[in-house]
Amino acid sequence: MDSPVAANILGTAGAVCWSIQLLPQIFKNYRLHSTQGLHPQMYISWALAGIPLGTYNVVQNLNIALQVQAHILIFLSLVAWAQCKYYGDGWGVARILAYGAAVGACIGGVEAGLYFGLREAWNRGVEWPMTVMAVLAAVLLAVGVMRYYWEIYQSRSVQGISFLFVAIDAGGDLFSILALLFAERIDVVGMVVYATELILWIGIGLLGAHYRLRAWIRGKTGRKDALDVEEPSPAEANGRHLHGRERQVH
C-alpha cells in the first residue's frame, strides 16, 4: 500500500488533530476555571511520552507531520498541566512558569541526547533501542489515558472531560496509523503505539455514552439509583450525628 502522497496527507491530518486535540479541554478548563475530574499526572505523562515518541519518529525519519506532532503534544500537555496546578492546586503563575520552564528544558535536553545516541545506534544496525522507545511511548500515553479511567471510576461520572478532545485525539491516532500503513515502509511498532491509545480512547467514549445515557434516562423517569445518591460531606455527617444526639437528650 505504498503511497507517499496518501501517507503525507494522512500524517498531516493526524498532526493537525494532535495540534488542536487538547485545545477543547484547555478552553473548557479556562471557561469553567476548574479542572475537576482531571489530574496533572495525566498531562505530565503525555508530555514525557512525547520524548520517546518524538525521538522515534525523527530517528526513523517518518513524514514531517508525524515528527512535529509529538512536540505539539508536549507543549499542549504542559499547558493543561499548568491549568491543573493553577485551578486545582492553587499554584501561582510565577511558580508554574518556573516549573514549566524547568520541565520543558529537561525534556528538550533528554530528547536531544536520545536522538544523537539512538541515531548512531541505528546507523550501526542496532535496532532494539528504537523498539524500547516505541514501547516506552506507548506505555506513557496509555498511563495518561488510564488516569481518565481511574477518575471516572472514582466519581462514577465523566464530569470535566471534554469529549471533543477525546474525539480529536482518537482521530489523530487513527490518521497516524493510516499514514504509517500507506508509508513506503510499514512501521508495525509505530502503528502499535498509536493503536494502543486509540483503543483506550474508544473505551473512554463508550463510558461517556453510558453515563450520559444513564443521566438522560434518569432525567426522563425521575429515578435515582444508588450511584447517584450524593454522599454527605464530613461536616454534614457530623452535624446530623450531633442533631441525633440532641434529639435523644430531649
Side-chain angles (χ1 to χ4, degrees):
M1 300 180 68
D2 179 7
S3 177
V5 174
N8 284 326
I9 291 174
L10 291 167
T12 301
V16 169
C17 286
W18 273 40
S19 298
I20 64 173
Q21 60 170 330
L22 272 170
L23 293 181
Q25 185 70 66
I26 290 171
F27 177 74
K28 183 174 183 178
N29 297 342
Y30 173 76
R31 180 170 54 85
L32 298 177
H33 295 288
S34 170
T35 53
Q36 183 178 357
L38 309 178
H39 198 281
Q41 287 179 359
M42 302 177 192
Y43 303 112
I44 283 295
S45 178
W46 286 333
L48 294 178
I51 299 174
L53 182 61
T55 304
Y56 182 89
N57 290 353
V58 173
V59 173
Q60 289 285 68
N61 198 29
L62 302 182
N63 68 68
I64 297 298
L66 293 179
Q67 294 182 34
V68 171
Q69 67 171 208
H71 302 94
I72 294 173
L73 171 67
I74 293 173
F75 174 74
L76 292 180
S77 295
L78 290 178
V79 172
W81 166 83
Q83 287 184 313
C84 287
K85 305 307 288 185
Y86 182 77
Y87 294 123
D89 296 342
W91 281 24
V93 174
R95 185 181 181 186
I96 290 172
L97 289 176
Y99 274 81
V103 171
C106 288
I107 287 175
V110 170
E111 185 176 352
L114 285 173
Y115 168 77
F116 289 110
L118 293 174
R119 187 70 183 175
E120 180 65 23
W122 182 258
N123 290 336
R124 293 182 178 183
V126 182
E127 299 183 7
W128 67 263
M130 294 301 299
T131 302
V132 171
M133 289 295 101
V135 171
L136 184 58
V139 169
L140 289 172
L141 288 171
V143 166
V145 183
M146 289 301 294
R147 186 71 202 195
Y148 273 107
Y149 281 90
W150 177 246
E151 296 294 336
I152 291 172
Y153 170 76
Q154 284 189 312
S155 64
R156 299 298 196 276
S157 74
V158 289
Q159 182 180 7
I161 299 175
S162 169
F163 280 90
L164 179 58
F165 152 61
V166 172
I168 293 174
D169 199 340
D173 290 323
L174 179 59
F175 283 128
S176 299
I177 292 170
L178 293 175
L180 292 173
L181 188 62
F182 281 95
E184 182 178 350
R185 178 179 60 85
I186 296 179
D187 190 334
V188 177
V189 176
M191 291 174 66
V192 169
V193 173
Y194 292 109
T196 300
E197 191 182 41
L198 175 60
I199 291 170
L200 290 173
W201 281 134
I202 291 173
I204 294 291
L206 293 175
L207 286 173
H210 163 72
Y211 282 108
R212 290 187 173 184
L213 178 61
R214 191 182 70 174
W216 179 81
I217 294 174
R218 188 176 66 243
K220 289 292 184 180
T221 60
R223 292 174 53 196
K224 280 192 174 184
D225 54 38
L227 291 177
D228 299 316
V229 177
E230 293 186 359
E231 292 291 333
S233 67
E236 291 173 336
N238 188 46
R240 292 177 187 177
H241 176 65
L242 291 176
H243 181 64
R245 290 183 60 186
E246 288 174 0
R247 286 197 302 175
Q248 290 177 4
V249 171
H250 289 112

